[in-house]
Amino acid sequence: MMTLTEEIRLADSRGARVGWRGWAALVVLMLPVLLVSVDNTVLSFALPDIARDLAPTSAEQLWIIDAYPLVLAGLLVTMGTLGDRFGRRRMLMIGATGFAAVSVLAAFAPTATLLIAARAAMGVFGAMLMPSTLSLLRSIFTDRDQRRFAIAVWAAMFSAGAALGPIVGGILLEHFSWGSVFLLSVPVLVPLLVFAPLLLPESRDPHPGRIDPLSIVLSLATMVPFVYAIKEFAVHGAGLLPLVLLVVGALCGALFVRRQLRTSSPMLDMRLFRRGTFSGALLVNLLSVVALVGFLFFVSQHLQLIVGLSPMQAGLALVPGMAAMIASGLLVVPIARRVDARIVVSVALVFSVAGYVMVALTAADNALGFLIGAFALLGLGIGAAETVSNDLILASVPPAKSGAASAVSETAYELGAVLGTAVLGGILTALYRTGILLPAGLPADVAAASRETLAGAMSAAEGLDPATAEALQTAAAHAFDAGVGVTALIGAGLVVIAAIIAATTLGTSRPARERVDH
């Protein structure tokens, strides 16, 4: 029986280069990637409108963003494994159909509670989409060089969607209600449902193990309490509930790992995590996404609520950063063929650290140019790091297990999205609440709304006399930007940790046939 390393080396040695049909299949696979990235960015920019219309609390505001990635993160490993067993293309088709249908329901949600529920349902079907795209890409592009470029396109599409989302969403938000941003999924997913059966080959694990319901339950019982505990701690501070949730998640996680190691057909092959490159690349992915999503959480509010830009103008202000992310993801491909991944990723992340430090130093100045430049530096580093780390993750597994490995990679991505909002967003919210100095004489309801969120303060100011309104807006902006300065330094620290992990754990990103595998 071959070892895991021998399986991977054999798979890379047999890789054949694809023709036009393979690249056409890549275009189809990019549609759901585009959808998910557009959806995440559009929602961040639509949040002020949602806050004004549905009047969510600060906790509900975070849940509107996080319900989707929370459910998705809990189900990714399960859906990736089911895709390996029942067919990755089949899971992609089911996920696309369900995602489009639930998005329509989210568009017309009349309350914050129903919107959160719709976002959670979107997470169920989104969990079917993302592992399928990356695992199908692994099975289509068996040549390492072509696969690395395809992964760069895959990563760049995330960035392109994030750049396109604010622009298209801004146009929609200026002419229609916030619900229109959820309807974007329909025109994106219809072409997928038409062309996927024609261009995408079905692929699955030829020797799948049995379905293990207990492992599925344990994986959910690990992820959901863990992420929920982080959210509770970020919103309400230390308490009994977050502690209990962390203990429950850790206990279920230990039982999950123990079961995977003892069963003859594990849902997730734990041997993968013994490879330093695989585990290191996952951590780099997670921390990079935390930094990116945390940045977008506060920059979208700053641009619209403090600088006064429209949603479309705010989106356009971030286009240079998104373009830098796309360009670096593609340009790093030839570099990664010649330079070890630990060097490439570590150097790239230095640019992201510089971007966060720039925000920390200029947050209180409302300097739009510095903010645009900071996001460009952040995007430059993260774009390159994501491309190389995703390539290493897929290269670390045999093709038959690509669904499970892709699911683990996507779990890190979505967990990073949750942590970016819950941790950095939660810290910023706490700093805002403790730092805001309200003008004297405010009505009790206005004062309460102003302490909850920046959007609440700006909205409440609209009903006050001009002098008081200006004083409230100034106080809210000052408290928010002071919190941004501290949060940016924490974000810089997280990227530094990612760079250290990359420098100490990542191996080479060159093909196995070009090196000796140690």
Side-chain angles (χ1 to χ4, degrees):
M1 182 177 179
M2 288 190 295
T3 66
L4 180 63
T5 301
E6 290 170 338
E7 289 182 64
I8 297 164
R9 184 181 293 113
L10 180 60
D12 275 340
S13 67
R14 288 178 175 175
R17 299 179 67 84
V18 302
W20 71 268
R21 192 176 184 86
W23 297 111
L26 176 63
V27 173
V28 173
L29 286 175
M30 292 308 97
L31 292 174
V33 175
L34 178 67
L35 169 65
V36 171
S37 58
V38 166
D39 179 74
N40 285 336
T41 311
V42 166
L43 186 61
S44 295
F45 278 79
L47 196 58
D49 283 356
I50 294 174
R52 283 189 287 265
D53 189 17
L54 301 183
T57 65
S58 59
E60 287 177 332
Q61 186 169 295
L62 289 174
W63 272 112
I64 288 171
I65 296 176
D66 288 340
Y68 167 75
L70 172 63
V71 174
L72 189 147
L75 287 173
L76 275 169
V77 173
T78 298
M79 295 303 183
T81 305
L82 292 178
D84 284 344
R85 180 181 180 86
F86 296 112
R88 294 147 189 162
R89 186 181 68 182
R90 178 180 297 174
M91 295 296 288
L92 184 68
M93 299 286 287
I94 296 172
T97 303
F99 195 97
V102 177
S103 294
V104 175
L105 296 179
F108 298 101
T111 66
T113 301
L114 290 177
L115 179 58
I116 292 170
R119 291 277 293 166
M122 290 169 66
V124 175
F125 293 104
M128 301 180 187
L129 288 173
M130 298 316 299
S132 298
T133 62
L134 203 53
S135 54
L136 283 168
L137 185 151
R138 174 66 170 89
S139 63
I140 293 171
F141 294 93
T142 55
D143 177 81
R144 181 70 185 277
D145 289 337
Q146 284 191 326
R147 185 171 69 242
R148 185 186 288 115
F149 183 78
I151 290 172
V153 174
W154 182 88
M157 189 56 64
F158 266 112
S159 303
L164 182 63
I167 299 172
V168 176
I171 295 173
L172 291 174
L173 290 171
E174 289 190 359
H175 296 89
F176 305 100
S177 70
W178 56 264
S180 60
V181 301
F182 291 105
L183 298 177
L184 287 173
S185 63
V186 177
V188 173
L189 290 177
V190 167
L192 171 66
L193 294 172
V194 172
F195 291 106
L198 302 176
L199 293 172
L200 298 181
E202 184 59 281
S203 69
R204 55 173 58 88
D205 187 343
H207 305 291
R210 61 183 178 85
I211 296 177
D212 185 1
L214 181 56
S215 291
I216 293 174
V217 172
L218 287 174
S219 68
L220 282 168
T222 300
M223 291 300 303
V224 174
F226 177 72
V227 177
Y228 187 37
I230 294 173
K231 288 178 56 59
E232 282 294 306
F233 180 80
V235 176
H236 301 295
L240 180 60
L241 179 59
L243 179 61
V244 171
L245 289 170
L246 284 175
V247 171
V248 171
L251 178 61
C252 292
L255 292 174
F256 176 81
V257 171
R258 182 171 180 267
R259 185 168 182 82
Q260 303 316 297
L261 292 174
R262 293 192 172 189
T263 184
S264 58
S265 55
M267 188 173 90
L268 180 61
D269 190 348
M270 303 306 296
R271 293 181 300 166
L272 299 175
F273 295 94
R274 296 173 184 169
R275 301 176 64 87
T277 296
F278 182 84
S279 298
L282 282 174
L283 289 173
V284 169
N285 262 357
L286 186 147
L287 292 172
S288 297
V289 175
V290 169
L292 176 63
V293 173
F295 189 100
L296 288 174
F297 178 82
F298 62 72
V299 77
S300 61
Q301 296 183 69
H302 177 92
L303 291 176
Q304 294 181 73
L305 298 174
I306 296 178
V307 179
L309 300 182
S310 69
M312 183 173 65
Q313 290 170 332
L316 290 171
L318 295 183
V319 166
M322 298 299 181
M325 196 180 303
I326 295 170
S328 65
L330 295 174
L331 294 176
V332 79
V333 172
I335 298 174
R337 293 180 186 145
R338 298 172 177 83
V339 182
D340 280 358
R342 65 185 62 156
I343 298 175
V344 174
V345 175
S346 300
V347 171
L349 290 176
V350 170
F351 289 95
S352 297
V353 173
Y356 256 122
V357 172
M358 184 182 294
V359 171
L361 296 176
T362 62
D365 299 333
N366 291 333
L368 182 59
F370 280 108
L371 192 61
I372 294 173
F375 187 54
L377 287 173
L378 182 74
L380 189 68
I382 290 178
E386 286 288 305
T387 293
V388 176
S389 58
N390 275 303
D391 174 59
L392 288 171
I393 289 169
L394 283 188
S396 298
V397 301
K401 301 298 181 184
S402 61
S406 300
V408 174
S409 176
E410 288 299 326
T411 300
Y413 184 93
E414 294 301 333
L415 182 58
V418 172
L419 294 175
T421 302
V423 176
L424 295 183
I427 290 172
L428 177 56
T429 298
L431 291 171
Y432 170 80
R433 288 175 175 173
T434 57
I436 187 170
L437 299 175
L438 297 175
L442 289 179
D445 58 335
V446 172
S450 299
R451 287 193 183 94
E452 277 287 306
T453 62
L454 175 64
M458 295 304 184
S459 178
E462 296 175 359
L464 303 175
D465 64 85
T468 306
E470 183 179 358
L472 175 57
Q473 289 171 341
T474 301
H478 178 75
F480 187 83
D481 284 341
V484 166
V486 176
T487 306
L489 289 177
I490 296 173
L494 293 176
V495 181
V496 168
I497 294 173
I500 293 172
I501 291 173
T504 55
T505 65
L506 299 189
T508 176
S509 58
R510 287 170 289 170
R513 61 178 177 272
E514 296 177 8
R515 60 183 172 86
V516 178
D517 193 327
H518 298 288

